[in-house]
Amino acid sequence: MLEEVERWLSTRSWSVTDRPLHKLMAAKRTTGSTVSVVLPALNEEETVGEIVAIIRHDLMQQVPLVDEIVVVDSGSTDRTSEVAAAAGARVVHRDEILPRIPTVPGKGEVLWRSLLVTSGDIVCFIDADLKEFSSDFVSGIVGPLLTDPGVDLVKAMYDRPLGSAAGQGGRVTELMARPLLNMHWPQLAGFVQPLGGEYAARRSLLEQLPFPVGYGVELGMLVDALHLVGLDALAQVDVGVRRHRHQDGQALGRMAAAIYRTAQLRLARGHMIRPALTQFERGEDGFEPRTHSVDTEERPPMADIAEYQSRRVA
């Protein structure tokens, strides 16, 4: 491992227990920073309510660490919006944000648009499908941003069990993202969960980043943040165990293709490859091909959007 990465691991990798809540609250009062929590959600009625309720109870009512919780619904057909609102979140539909730009499907699209409907100096993203959720996920990754002015982005790290098998989750991480990062961006080799959906960052950084609209958003954000603010402005915090709904193999294949495409664009912007993935399903006449387009569109930095600029002036 690079000496720089070994040094980074010893100075920018922490545990949630390193920063108790009373220290975070003292830092919040000193800095005057505000914190927004964003949950991107698509058909997550089974889990989103409990996540919102726990954050509200632990980090808004018990201690006022979080200033707002916003659930951005990206087109749910179940009761996600109703459940989230009943639990105390402000719910905004993806299509209502920046309506002059037509929406496209994808998690990154939702995260990008969320910058327009949140106000926190620190924005914390939490996936809405987590089970056995702990508010440590939020306080853990927000903590370094409140206490260390040199940190701009913090990823959560955790064990990811697959069923009863410990540490076997994160299959796309191990098969696609980690090899890509180690080979092409070795400075990022120290991230335990580079694709994890739980991370927090300063708005001042997020508004300068392009957002891949789909599954490539986490890898793209890490790579772009590295180039923009440097390795020492990035950090990770151990928050325990992450349990969530696992996707099937074909969905993971599409995710891996999107991540590879995101990496490829950053390696050589002008060198195009076929932005599609063909998979196979057994039909009556044998295996039948199914071709899926791979997310290639990206949203520009939010700081370039007129509506965002006018909001800041106002």
Side-chain angles (χ1 to χ4, degrees):
M1 181 174 287
L2 290 175
E3 290 184 8
E4 183 179 13
V5 175
E6 291 182 347
R7 177 192 58 78
W8 179 84
L9 280 168
S10 66
T11 61
R12 286 291 186 264
S13 294
W14 296 295
S15 167
V16 65
T17 58
D18 292 334
R19 292 175 176 82
L21 279 175
H22 71 272
K23 289 188 176 181
L24 299 190
M25 289 308 305
K28 181 177 168 71
R29 287 190 292 269
T30 299
T31 62
S33 298
T34 53
V35 178
S36 299
V37 175
V38 172
L39 279 71
L42 176 63
N43 295 329
E44 303 295 355
E45 67 175 1
E46 294 183 4
T47 51
V48 68
E50 182 178 5
I51 296 171
V52 170
I54 289 172
I55 296 172
R56 277 189 57 81
H57 176 268
D58 293 359
L59 303 180
M60 296 182 82
Q61 296 168 351
Q62 297 284 85
V63 295
L65 183 71
V66 171
D67 297 280
E68 63 176 348
I69 305 175
V70 179
V71 170
V72 183
D73 191 329
S74 58
S76 297
T77 56
D78 64 2
R79 297 180 61 253
T80 290
S81 291
E82 294 89 336
V83 170
R90 175 161 60 92
V91 179
V92 184
H93 195 282
R94 173 199 62 192
D95 296 350
E96 298 171 355
I97 308 170
L98 200 60
R100 74 171 177 85
I101 299 178
T103 59
V104 295
K107 178 184 178 182
E109 175 85 351
V110 173
L111 301 184
W112 181 72
R113 290 177 187 264
S114 75
L115 296 182
L116 262 170
V117 294
T118 53
S119 59
D121 304 305
I122 295 168
V123 183
C124 174
F125 299 119
I126 300 290
D127 280 351
D129 66 341
L130 302 187
K131 303 174 182 178
E132 302 176 29
F133 178 76
S134 166
S135 60
D136 286 350
F137 275 67
V138 175
S139 60
I141 57 180
V142 166
L145 296 164
L146 290 171
T147 60
D148 191 333
V151 174
D152 288 324
L153 185 150
V154 182
K155 297 279 293 189
M157 59 177 167
Y158 31 65
D159 295 319
R160 295 184 68 177
L162 181 62
S164 59
Q168 295 303 305
R171 291 161 288 173
V172 176
T173 293
E174 301 303 332
L175 296 174
M176 176 59 70
R178 200 177 309 285
L180 281 172
L181 292 176
N182 275 265
M183 288 187 290
H184 299 299
W185 296 280
Q187 285 179 296
L188 298 174
F191 276 94
V192 175
Q193 297 292 351
L195 299 185
E198 292 69 47
Y199 48 98
R202 300 190 192 279
R203 178 176 294 272
S204 57
L205 170 63
L206 292 172
E207 65 188 16
Q208 297 182 68
L209 298 177
F211 276 59
V213 299
Y215 287 125
V217 63
E218 275 84 22
L219 183 134
M221 191 176 294
L222 265 188
V223 171
D224 293 341
L226 174 68
H227 291 312
L228 193 62
V229 296
L231 181 61
D232 283 341
L234 313 180
Q236 59 185 351
V237 173
D238 187 348
V239 296
V241 179
R242 183 187 197 267
R243 302 182 189 278
H244 66 110
R245 170 174 45 81
H246 291 282
Q247 301 196 54
D248 62 33
Q250 293 212 338
L252 295 179
R254 295 191 290 275
M255 185 184 301
I259 290 164
Y260 176 79
R261 177 62 174 157
T262 299
Q264 194 273 337
L265 284 172
R266 280 153 178 77
L267 287 169
R269 290 278 178 179
H271 176 55
M272 302 296 291
I273 61 173
R274 174 178 176 255
L277 173 71
T278 298
Q279 298 175 313
F280 294 87
E281 296 179 5
R282 185 183 290 278
E284 293 182 358
D285 299 320
F287 284 102
E288 300 174 356
R290 299 284 188 272
T291 298
H292 306 270
S293 62
V294 176
D295 293 321
T296 57
E297 185 174 356
E298 298 192 5
R299 293 306 192 188
M302 187 57 81
D304 294 344
I305 299 298
E307 288 88 341
Y308 189 82
Q309 295 171 0
S310 63
R311 188 191 75 162
R312 294 178 66 185
V313 171

